[in-house]
């Protein structure tokens, strides 16, 4: 197994791709060793595998079970991708309420990470989940929702495959509306006021993010999409699956490889890209393919994501400190995307413990052992900066945090691990993330660790 970064080769013993619930239950009941769960495999630190495991590849378990277009709800098998969901619901003028900014990911992988996108007034995907169906480590099949098996619901969402296999999910949908793109470049110091005035509380603003320009990190381009009745300038309802992303890839290459490339992007490329304001469907804007970012090779260098979250009130303290670490270590940052999130309603491993701004860092790194070790050291510095601002860091990326940092960012990990010990006493469900932080022998029934 490997993931999209190609940095985490893991030798598993077997991979199965079940198409029925019975096959999943039978595999869990009968397999004697560790079991890992794979969705789209876009996590970047071995979260879908561990050495010698049986990997359940969920991607063939991918049917739509029920769509209720009137109450705007869909029930799907967890291995389905957002793209397949979009293709199914688009003819009904419906949209996914919360997902990432690309549509290649599976629903199960997204729930297990508790993902978020650039949707305004929203936050983690848990806010859009009605209920789940799970297969536990003993092979039993149970339902979970905020009303039923509540602890499992709030543990499994954001639980990175530690507690159960998610086999079905019922998600709330929303209207597929037309949106008009707006954009404005401003000093970083003006951004929070801009956000408060133009984005926060505006129900007609559907998507928003702000790109913080490297390497100075002193100005941003805010981009927002407002609901509109204007005629479409983009006729496609979804981005065609064979769309040509070569232009975007060239831009990433210029920004990451050329001397002056970051300046060119900010002052020449972006003004050209954003010269006209598009009117398009919401589903169109939510259907980008990760191919957009794929470099020609990941052999000697690769592109990786990281994400940090800080309370809204710490925004202006955090950014210069983050910038200082990135500059001092000469990190080859392609982009930092700023987003906003409401607080998490109760998942045990919540990354939004309060209302937060998120900083998504997309950067290029070498693949050598020395390069990986250098990344680990500046990542730990950045985590410390986020923690000292009462913030957190995101878990689907490379596993660099010390045990102490993990505990500080996820203070309810003790409760999560106690739940794991109860529902998975043999530690069947394993992967590199939990191999790093879960010590079953150290968990007591009270959740102390
Ligand atoms: C280019 C790119 C852009 C991204 N953008 C965003 C973004 O905008 N917002 C955001 O929040 N994240 C983003 N991410 C991170 C991404 O959301 C996560 O990596 C997510 O897990 C990907 O889904 P997946 O289906 O590939 O999951 P996988 O990587 O396959 O799995 C992730 C975790 O979920 C577990 N899992 C998978 N399926 C199940 C299941 N059915 N039951 C139980 N556990 C399961 C796995 O064991 C693993 O621990 C991005 C990643 C990339 C590479």
């Amino acid at each position: 197994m490997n993931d999209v970064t190609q940095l985490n080769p893991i030798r598993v013993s077997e991979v199965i791709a079940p198409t029925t619930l019975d096959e999943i239950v039978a595999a869990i009941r009968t397999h004697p060793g560790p079991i890992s769960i794979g969705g789209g495999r876009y996590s970047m630190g071995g979260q879908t595998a561990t050495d010698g495991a049986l990997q359940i590849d969920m991607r063939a378990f991918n049917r739509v079970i029920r769509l209720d277009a009137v109450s705007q709800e869909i029930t799907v098998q967890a291995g389905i991708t957002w793209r397949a969901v979009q293709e199914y619901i688009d003819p009904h003028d419906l949209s996914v309420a919360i997902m990432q900014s690309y549509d290649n990911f599976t629903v199960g992988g997204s729930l297990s990470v508790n993902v978020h996108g650039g949707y305004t007034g929203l936050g983690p995907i848990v806010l859009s989940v009605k209920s789940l169906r799970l297969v536990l480590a003993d092979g039993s099949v149970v339902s979970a929702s905020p009303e039923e098996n509540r602890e499992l619901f709030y543990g499994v969402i954001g639980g990175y495959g530690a507690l159960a296999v998610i086999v079905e999910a019922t998600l709330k949908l929303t209207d597929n509306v037309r949106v008009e793109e707006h954009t404005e470049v401003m000093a970083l110091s003006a951004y929070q006021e801009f956000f408060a005035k133009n984005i926060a509380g505006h129900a007609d603003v559907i998507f928003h993010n702000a790109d913080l320009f490297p390497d100075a990190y002193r100005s941003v381009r805010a981009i927002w999409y407002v609901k509109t009745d204007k005629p479409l300038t983009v006729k496609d309802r979804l981005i065609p699956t064979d769309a040509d992303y070569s232009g975007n890839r060239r831009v990433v290459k210029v920004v990451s490889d050329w001397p002056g490339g970051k300046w060119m992007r900010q002052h020449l490329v972006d003004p050209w890209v954003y010269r006209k304001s598009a009117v398009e469907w919401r589903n169109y804007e939510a259907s980008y393919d990760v191919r957009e970012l794929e470099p020609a090779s990941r052999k000697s260098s690769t592109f990786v994501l990281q994400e940090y979250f800080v309370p809204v009130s710490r925004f202006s303290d955090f950014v210069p400190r983050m910038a200082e670490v990135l500059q001092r270590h000469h990190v080859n940052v392609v982009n930092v995307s700023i987003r906003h999130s409401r607080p998490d309603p109760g998942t045990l491993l919540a990354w939004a413990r309060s209302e937060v701004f998120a900083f998504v860092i997309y950067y290029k790194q070498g693949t050598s052992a020395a390069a990986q070790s250098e990344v680990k050291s500046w990542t730990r510095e950045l985590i410390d900066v986020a923690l000292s601002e009462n913030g957190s860091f995101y878990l689907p990326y490379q596993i660099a945090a010390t045990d102490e940092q993990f505990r500080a960012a996820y203070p309810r990990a003790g409760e999560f691990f106690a739940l794991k010990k109860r529902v998975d006493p043999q530690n069947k469900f394993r992967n590199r993330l939990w191999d790093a932080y879960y010590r079953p022998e150290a968990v007591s029934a009270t959740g102390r660790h």
Side-chain angles (χ1 to χ4, degrees), residues 353-381:
R353 299 198 305 278
S354 60
E355 185 188 344
V356 293
F357 277 113
F359 297 83
V360 184
I361 303 176
Y362 190 61
Y363 69 98
K364 184 176 183 179
Q365 69 163 88
T367 53
S368 67
Q372 293 194 52
S373 142
E374 164 70 1
V375 168
K376 198 169 201 170
S377 85
W378 62 254
T379 303
R380 287 182 174 175
E381 282 188 47

PDB file of all heavy atoms in Angstrom, residues 353-381:
ATOM      1  N   ARG A 353     -12.459  22.945  18.336  1.00  0.00           N
ATOM      2  CA  ARG A 353     -13.010  22.935  19.693  1.00  0.00           C
ATOM      3  C   ARG A 353     -13.737  24.243  19.983  1.00  0.00           C
ATOM      4  O   ARG A 353     -14.448  24.356  20.966  1.00  0.00           O
ATOM      5  CB  ARG A 353     -11.884  22.703  20.713  1.00  0.00           C
ATOM      6  CG  ARG A 353     -11.174  21.362  20.517  1.00  0.00           C
ATOM      7  CD  ARG A 353     -10.408  20.970  21.759  1.00  0.00           C
ATOM      8  NE  ARG A 353      -9.480  21.987  22.191  1.00  0.00           N
ATOM      9  CZ  ARG A 353      -8.258  22.146  21.668  1.00  0.00           C
ATOM     10  NH1 ARG A 353      -7.828  21.360  20.702  1.00  0.00           N
ATOM     11  NH2 ARG A 353      -7.462  23.113  22.122  1.00  0.00           N
ATOM     12  N   SER A 354     -13.523  25.247  19.133  1.00  0.00           N
ATOM     13  CA  SER A 354     -14.266  26.509  19.234  1.00  0.00           C
ATOM     14  C   SER A 354     -14.402  26.992  17.797  1.00  0.00           C
ATOM     15  O   SER A 354     -14.020  26.273  16.869  1.00  0.00           O
ATOM     16  CB  SER A 354     -13.460  27.515  20.060  1.00  0.00           C
ATOM     17  OG  SER A 354     -12.210  27.746  19.423  1.00  0.00           O
ATOM     18  N   GLU A 355     -14.931  28.194  17.607  1.00  0.00           N
ATOM     19  CA  GLU A 355     -14.980  28.744  16.244  1.00  0.00           C
ATOM     20  C   GLU A 355     -13.532  29.016  15.817  1.00  0.00           C
ATOM     21  O   GLU A 355     -12.798  29.677  16.537  1.00  0.00           O
ATOM     22  CB  GLU A 355     -15.780  30.042  16.280  1.00  0.00           C
ATOM     23  CG  GLU A 355     -16.013  30.656  14.937  1.00  0.00           C
ATOM     24  CD  GLU A 355     -16.638  32.051  15.059  1.00  0.00           C
ATOM     25  OE1 GLU A 355     -17.160  32.406  16.135  1.00  0.00           O
ATOM     26  OE2 GLU A 355     -16.566  32.782  14.062  1.00  0.00           O
ATOM     27  N   VAL A 356     -13.148  28.498  14.660  1.00  0.00           N
ATOM     28  CA  VAL A 356     -11.728  28.596  14.279  1.00  0.00           C
ATOM     29  C   VAL A 356     -11.522  29.132  12.860  1.00  0.00           C
ATOM     30  O   VAL A 356     -12.421  29.054  12.014  1.00  0.00           O
ATOM     31  CB  VAL A 356     -11.019  27.209  14.339  1.00  0.00           C
ATOM     32  CG1 VAL A 356     -10.920  26.693  15.759  1.00  0.00           C
ATOM     33  CG2 VAL A 356     -11.702  26.188  13.434  1.00  0.00           C
ATOM     34  N   PHE A 357     -10.325  29.636  12.631  1.00  0.00           N
ATOM     35  CA  PHE A 357      -9.814  29.784  11.273  1.00  0.00           C
ATOM     36  C   PHE A 357      -8.871  28.618  11.025  1.00  0.00           C
ATOM     37  O   PHE A 357      -8.101  28.225  11.913  1.00  0.00           O
ATOM     38  CB  PHE A 357      -9.061  31.103  11.087  1.00  0.00           C
ATOM     39  CG  PHE A 357      -9.968  32.268  10.808  1.00  0.00           C
ATOM     40  CD1 PHE A 357     -10.094  33.298  11.728  1.00  0.00           C
ATOM     41  CD2 PHE A 357     -10.703  32.330   9.632  1.00  0.00           C
ATOM     42  CE1 PHE A 357     -10.942  34.373  11.478  1.00  0.00           C
ATOM     43  CE2 PHE A 357     -11.551  33.399   9.372  1.00  0.00           C
ATOM     44  CZ  PHE A 357     -11.671  34.424  10.302  1.00  0.00           C
ATOM     45  N   ALA A 358      -8.949  28.071   9.806  1.00  0.00           N
ATOM     46  CA  ALA A 358      -8.093  26.948   9.412  1.00  0.00           C
ATOM     47  C   ALA A 358      -7.072  27.464   8.413  1.00  0.00           C
ATOM     48  O   ALA A 358      -7.386  28.321   7.570  1.00  0.00           O
ATOM     49  CB  ALA A 358      -8.950  25.872   8.759  1.00  0.00           C
ATOM     50  N   PHE A 359      -5.857  26.938   8.508  1.00  0.00           N
ATOM     51  CA  PHE A 359      -4.784  27.314   7.578  1.00  0.00           C
ATOM     52  C   PHE A 359      -4.304  26.044   6.888  1.00  0.00           C
ATOM     53  O   PHE A 359      -3.664  25.199   7.517  1.00  0.00           O
ATOM     54  CB  PHE A 359      -3.634  27.980   8.338  1.00  0.00           C
ATOM     55  CG  PHE A 359      -4.057  29.263   9.000  1.00  0.00           C
ATOM     56  CD1 PHE A 359      -4.683  29.241  10.242  1.00  0.00           C
ATOM     57  CD2 PHE A 359      -3.876  30.476   8.368  1.00  0.00           C
ATOM     58  CE1 PHE A 359      -5.112  30.414  10.840  1.00  0.00           C
ATOM     59  CE2 PHE A 359      -4.303  31.659   8.957  1.00  0.00           C
ATOM     60  CZ  PHE A 359      -4.918  31.625  10.199  1.00  0.00           C
ATOM     61  N   VAL A 360      -4.645  25.899   5.616  1.00  0.00           N
ATOM     62  CA  VAL A 360      -4.269  24.708   4.853  1.00  0.00           C
ATOM     63  C   VAL A 360      -2.993  25.039   4.083  1.00  0.00           C
ATOM     64  O   VAL A 360      -3.003  25.911   3.206  1.00  0.00           O
ATOM     65  CB  VAL A 360      -5.366  24.310   3.844  1.00  0.00           C
ATOM     66  CG1 VAL A 360      -4.994  23.013   3.142  1.00  0.00           C
ATOM     67  CG2 VAL A 360      -6.723  24.204   4.517  1.00  0.00           C
ATOM     68  N   ILE A 361      -1.899  24.358   4.424  1.00  0.00           N
ATOM     69  CA  ILE A 361      -0.606  24.645   3.792  1.00  0.00           C
ATOM     70  C   ILE A 361      -0.314  23.565   2.757  1.00  0.00           C
ATOM     71  O   ILE A 361      -0.308  22.375   3.077  1.00  0.00           O
ATOM     72  CB  ILE A 361       0.524  24.656   4.856  1.00  0.00           C
ATOM     73  CG1 ILE A 361       0.195  25.676   5.954  1.00  0.00           C
ATOM     74  CG2 ILE A 361       1.869  24.956   4.195  1.00  0.00           C
ATOM     75  CD1 ILE A 361       1.210  25.668   7.096  1.00  0.00           C
ATOM     76  N   TYR A 362      -0.104  23.984   1.529  1.00  0.00           N
ATOM     77  CA  TYR A 362       0.262  23.047   0.463  1.00  0.00           C
ATOM     78  C   TYR A 362       1.698  23.347   0.073  1.00  0.00           C
ATOM     79  O   TYR A 362       2.025  24.473  -0.286  1.00  0.00           O
ATOM     80  CB  TYR A 362      -0.674  23.237  -0.739  1.00  0.00           C
ATOM     81  CG  TYR A 362      -0.525  22.157  -1.786  1.00  0.00           C
ATOM     82  CD1 TYR A 362      -0.783  20.831  -1.469  1.00  0.00           C
ATOM     83  CD2 TYR A 362      -0.138  22.467  -3.089  1.00  0.00           C
ATOM     84  CE1 TYR A 362      -0.654  19.833  -2.419  1.00  0.00           C
ATOM     85  CE2 TYR A 362      -0.011  21.469  -4.048  1.00  0.00           C
ATOM     86  CZ  TYR A 362      -0.266  20.156  -3.702  1.00  0.00           C
ATOM     87  OH  TYR A 362      -0.140  19.164  -4.637  1.00  0.00           O
ATOM     88  N   TYR A 363       2.575  22.367   0.209  1.00  0.00           N
ATOM     89  CA  TYR A 363       4.001  22.644   0.018  1.00  0.00           C
ATOM     90  C   TYR A 363       4.680  21.473  -0.678  1.00  0.00           C
ATOM     91  O   TYR A 363       4.132  20.365  -0.760  1.00  0.00           O
ATOM     92  CB  TYR A 363       4.673  22.938   1.373  1.00  0.00           C
ATOM     93  CG  TYR A 363       4.748  21.715   2.256  1.00  0.00           C
ATOM     94  CD1 TYR A 363       5.915  20.954   2.320  1.00  0.00           C
ATOM     95  CD2 TYR A 363       3.652  21.295   2.990  1.00  0.00           C
ATOM     96  CE1 TYR A 363       5.984  19.809   3.096  1.00  0.00           C
ATOM     97  CE2 TYR A 363       3.703  20.148   3.766  1.00  0.00           C
ATOM     98  CZ  TYR A 363       4.868  19.415   3.811  1.00  0.00           C
ATOM     99  OH  TYR A 363       4.920  18.275   4.566  1.00  0.00           O
ATOM    100  N   LYS A 364       5.902  21.773  -1.140  1.00  0.00           N
ATOM    101  CA  LYS A 364       6.689  20.748  -1.824  1.00  0.00           C
ATOM    102  C   LYS A 364       7.846  20.339  -0.916  1.00  0.00           C
ATOM    103  O   LYS A 364       8.460  21.207  -0.284  1.00  0.00           O
ATOM    104  CB  LYS A 364       7.250  21.342  -3.119  1.00  0.00           C
ATOM    105  CG  LYS A 364       8.013  20.351  -3.963  1.00  0.00           C
ATOM    106  CD  LYS A 364       8.431  21.024  -5.258  1.00  0.00           C
ATOM    107  CE  LYS A 364       9.139  20.031  -6.142  1.00  0.00           C
ATOM    108  NZ  LYS A 364       9.541  20.634  -7.408  1.00  0.00           N
ATOM    109  N   GLN A 365       8.134  19.051  -0.856  1.00  0.00           N
ATOM    110  CA  GLN A 365       9.265  18.589  -0.051  1.00  0.00           C
ATOM    111  C   GLN A 365      10.012  17.485  -0.780  1.00  0.00           C
ATOM    112  O   GLN A 365       9.455  16.826  -1.659  1.00  0.00           O
ATOM    113  CB  GLN A 365       8.785  18.077   1.310  1.00  0.00           C
ATOM    114  CG  GLN A 365       7.988  16.783   1.242  1.00  0.00           C
ATOM    115  CD  GLN A 365       7.874  16.091   2.595  1.00  0.00           C
ATOM    116  OE1 GLN A 365       6.957  16.372   3.355  1.00  0.00           O
ATOM    117  NE2 GLN A 365       8.815  15.187   2.877  1.00  0.00           N
ATOM    118  N   GLY A 366      11.267  17.271  -0.369  1.00  0.00           N
ATOM    119  CA  GLY A 366      12.027  16.159  -0.917  1.00  0.00           C
ATOM    120  C   GLY A 366      11.566  14.849  -0.308  1.00  0.00           C
ATOM    121  O   GLY A 366      10.909  14.826   0.746  1.00  0.00           O
ATOM    122  N   THR A 367      11.921  13.734  -0.961  1.00  0.00           N
ATOM    123  CA  THR A 367      11.505  12.426  -0.451  1.00  0.00           C
ATOM    124  C   THR A 367      12.637  11.704   0.292  1.00  0.00           C
ATOM    125  O   THR A 367      12.415  10.627   0.827  1.00  0.00           O
ATOM    126  CB  THR A 367      11.020  11.530  -1.610  1.00  0.00           C
ATOM    127  OG1 THR A 367      12.044  11.513  -2.602  1.00  0.00           O
ATOM    128  CG2 THR A 367       9.738  12.037  -2.224  1.00  0.00           C
ATOM    129  N   SER A 368      13.845  12.288   0.313  1.00  0.00           N
ATOM    130  CA  SER A 368      14.966  11.616   0.994  1.00  0.00           C
ATOM    131  C   SER A 368      14.704  11.566   2.498  1.00  0.00           C
ATOM    132  O   SER A 368      13.885  12.332   3.025  1.00  0.00           O
ATOM    133  CB  SER A 368      16.262  12.383   0.734  1.00  0.00           C
ATOM    134  OG  SER A 368      16.187  13.638   1.377  1.00  0.00           O
ATOM    135  N   ALA A 369      15.449  10.689   3.179  1.00  0.00           N
ATOM    136  CA  ALA A 369      15.290  10.575   4.629  1.00  0.00           C
ATOM    137  C   ALA A 369      15.609  11.914   5.295  1.00  0.00           C
ATOM    138  O   ALA A 369      14.915  12.336   6.225  1.00  0.00           O
ATOM    139  CB  ALA A 369      16.200   9.476   5.158  1.00  0.00           C
ATOM    140  N   ALA A 370      16.633  12.602   4.801  1.00  0.00           N
ATOM    141  CA  ALA A 370      17.019  13.884   5.404  1.00  0.00           C
ATOM    142  C   ALA A 370      15.901  14.906   5.236  1.00  0.00           C
ATOM    143  O   ALA A 370      15.554  15.641   6.168  1.00  0.00           O
ATOM    144  CB  ALA A 370      18.308  14.384   4.758  1.00  0.00           C
ATOM    145  N   ALA A 371      15.311  14.941   4.042  1.00  0.00           N
ATOM    146  CA  ALA A 371      14.224  15.905   3.794  1.00  0.00           C
ATOM    147  C   ALA A 371      13.027  15.588   4.693  1.00  0.00           C
ATOM    148  O   ALA A 371      12.399  16.496   5.264  1.00  0.00           O
ATOM    149  CB  ALA A 371      13.820  15.864   2.324  1.00  0.00           C
ATOM    150  N   GLN A 372      12.736  14.311   4.859  1.00  0.00           N
ATOM    151  CA  GLN A 372      11.587  13.940   5.692  1.00  0.00           C
ATOM    152  C   GLN A 372      11.830  14.299   7.157  1.00  0.00           C
ATOM    153  O   GLN A 372      10.911  14.716   7.865  1.00  0.00           O
ATOM    154  CB  GLN A 372      11.297  12.445   5.559  1.00  0.00           C
ATOM    155  CG  GLN A 372      10.808  12.106   4.145  1.00  0.00           C
ATOM    156  CD  GLN A 372      10.200  10.718   4.065  1.00  0.00           C
ATOM    157  OE1 GLN A 372       9.335  10.366   4.839  1.00  0.00           O
ATOM    158  NE2 GLN A 372      10.666   9.921   3.125  1.00  0.00           N
ATOM    159  N   SER A 373      13.081  14.166   7.578  1.00  0.00           N
ATOM    160  CA  SER A 373      13.367  14.481   8.970  1.00  0.00           C
ATOM    161  C   SER A 373      13.301  16.000   9.214  1.00  0.00           C
ATOM    162  O   SER A 373      12.826  16.472  10.241  1.00  0.00           O
ATOM    163  CB  SER A 373      14.708  13.842   9.319  1.00  0.00           C
ATOM    164  OG  SER A 373      15.455  14.619  10.136  1.00  0.00           O
ATOM    165  N   GLU A 374      13.741  16.762   8.222  1.00  0.00           N
ATOM    166  CA  GLU A 374      13.652  18.231   8.310  1.00  0.00           C
ATOM    167  C   GLU A 374      12.177  18.670   8.393  1.00  0.00           C
ATOM    168  O   GLU A 374      11.794  19.510   9.200  1.00  0.00           O
ATOM    169  CB  GLU A 374      14.369  18.835   7.085  1.00  0.00           C
ATOM    170  CG  GLU A 374      14.105  20.295   6.763  1.00  0.00           C
ATOM    171  CD  GLU A 374      14.702  21.269   7.774  1.00  0.00           C
ATOM    172  OE1 GLU A 374      15.352  20.806   8.723  1.00  0.00           O
ATOM    173  OE2 GLU A 374      14.455  22.492   7.630  1.00  0.00           O
ATOM    174  N   VAL A 375      11.323  18.033   7.580  1.00  0.00           N
ATOM    175  CA  VAL A 375       9.890  18.364   7.602  1.00  0.00           C
ATOM    176  C   VAL A 375       9.310  18.060   8.993  1.00  0.00           C
ATOM    177  O   VAL A 375       8.535  18.844   9.545  1.00  0.00           O
ATOM    178  CB  VAL A 375       9.118  17.577   6.524  1.00  0.00           C
ATOM    179  CG1 VAL A 375       7.613  17.694   6.725  1.00  0.00           C
ATOM    180  CG2 VAL A 375       9.496  18.079   5.131  1.00  0.00           C
ATOM    181  N   LYS A 376       9.721  16.945   9.530  1.00  0.00           N
ATOM    182  CA  LYS A 376       9.201  16.571  10.851  1.00  0.00           C
ATOM    183  C   LYS A 376       9.556  17.640  11.889  1.00  0.00           C
ATOM    184  O   LYS A 376       8.733  18.020  12.719  1.00  0.00           O
ATOM    185  CB  LYS A 376       9.811  15.226  11.264  1.00  0.00           C
ATOM    186  CG  LYS A 376       9.061  14.547  12.351  1.00  0.00           C
ATOM    187  CD  LYS A 376       9.584  13.128  12.490  1.00  0.00           C
ATOM    188  CE  LYS A 376       8.571  12.259  13.170  1.00  0.00           C
ATOM    189  NZ  LYS A 376       8.882  10.858  13.141  1.00  0.00           N
ATOM    190  N   SER A 377      10.769  18.163  11.788  1.00  0.00           N
ATOM    191  CA  SER A 377      11.152  19.112  12.836  1.00  0.00           C
ATOM    192  C   SER A 377      10.393  20.434  12.689  1.00  0.00           C
ATOM    193  O   SER A 377       9.923  20.982  13.684  1.00  0.00           O
ATOM    194  CB  SER A 377      12.673  19.244  12.941  1.00  0.00           C
ATOM    195  OG  SER A 377      13.142  20.168  12.034  1.00  0.00           O
ATOM    196  N   TRP A 378      10.230  20.979  11.462  1.00  0.00           N
ATOM    197  CA  TRP A 378       9.466  22.235  11.396  1.00  0.00           C
ATOM    198  C   TRP A 378       7.973  22.012  11.624  1.00  0.00           C
ATOM    199  O   TRP A 378       7.260  22.898  12.115  1.00  0.00           O
ATOM    200  CB  TRP A 378       9.772  23.064  10.149  1.00  0.00           C
ATOM    201  CG  TRP A 378       9.483  22.526   8.781  1.00  0.00           C
ATOM    202  CD1 TRP A 378      10.384  22.066   7.872  1.00  0.00           C
ATOM    203  CD2 TRP A 378       8.205  22.439   8.113  1.00  0.00           C
ATOM    204  NE1 TRP A 378       9.773  21.687   6.707  1.00  0.00           N
ATOM    205  CE2 TRP A 378       8.434  21.911   6.827  1.00  0.00           C
ATOM    206  CE3 TRP A 378       6.898  22.760   8.475  1.00  0.00           C
ATOM    207  CZ2 TRP A 378       7.408  21.688   5.893  1.00  0.00           C
ATOM    208  CZ3 TRP A 378       5.868  22.538   7.564  1.00  0.00           C
ATOM    209  CH2 TRP A 378       6.131  22.007   6.302  1.00  0.00           C
ATOM    210  N   THR A 379       7.497  20.795  11.302  1.00  0.00           N
ATOM    211  CA  THR A 379       6.080  20.511  11.576  1.00  0.00           C
ATOM    212  C   THR A 379       5.832  20.559  13.087  1.00  0.00           C
ATOM    213  O   THR A 379       4.839  21.130  13.545  1.00  0.00           O
ATOM    214  CB  THR A 379       5.698  19.123  11.023  1.00  0.00           C
ATOM    215  OG1 THR A 379       5.978  19.091   9.631  1.00  0.00           O
ATOM    216  CG2 THR A 379       4.228  18.820  11.252  1.00  0.00           C
ATOM    217  N   ARG A 380       6.749  19.987  13.852  1.00  0.00           N
ATOM    218  CA  ARG A 380       6.581  20.023  15.314  1.00  0.00           C
ATOM    219  C   ARG A 380       6.629  21.459  15.841  1.00  0.00           C
ATOM    220  O   ARG A 380       5.911  21.799  16.770  1.00  0.00           O
ATOM    221  CB  ARG A 380       7.649  19.162  15.982  1.00  0.00           C
ATOM    222  CG  ARG A 380       7.356  17.696  15.786  1.00  0.00           C
ATOM    223  CD  ARG A 380       8.364  16.807  16.472  1.00  0.00           C
ATOM    224  NE  ARG A 380       7.938  15.423  16.365  1.00  0.00           N
ATOM    225  CZ  ARG A 380       8.641  14.386  16.780  1.00  0.00           C
ATOM    226  NH1 ARG A 380       9.827  14.585  17.346  1.00  0.00           N
ATOM    227  NH2 ARG A 380       8.181  13.166  16.656  1.00  0.00           N
ATOM    228  N   GLU A 381       7.451  22.275  15.213  1.00  0.00           N
ATOM    229  CA  GLU A 381       7.473  23.690  15.628  1.00  0.00           C
ATOM    230  C   GLU A 381       6.133  24.356  15.332  1.00  0.00           C
ATOM    231  O   GLU A 381       5.596  25.101  16.148  1.00  0.00           O
ATOM    232  CB  GLU A 381       8.578  24.447  14.877  1.00  0.00           C
ATOM    233  CG  GLU A 381       9.966  24.207  15.417  1.00  0.00           C
ATOM    234  CD  GLU A 381      10.977  25.146  14.759  1.00  0.00           C
ATOM    235  OE1 GLU A 381      10.727  26.359  14.645  1.00  0.00           O
ATOM    236  OE2 GLU A 381      12.042  24.645  14.335  1.00  0.00           O
TER     237      GLU A 381
END
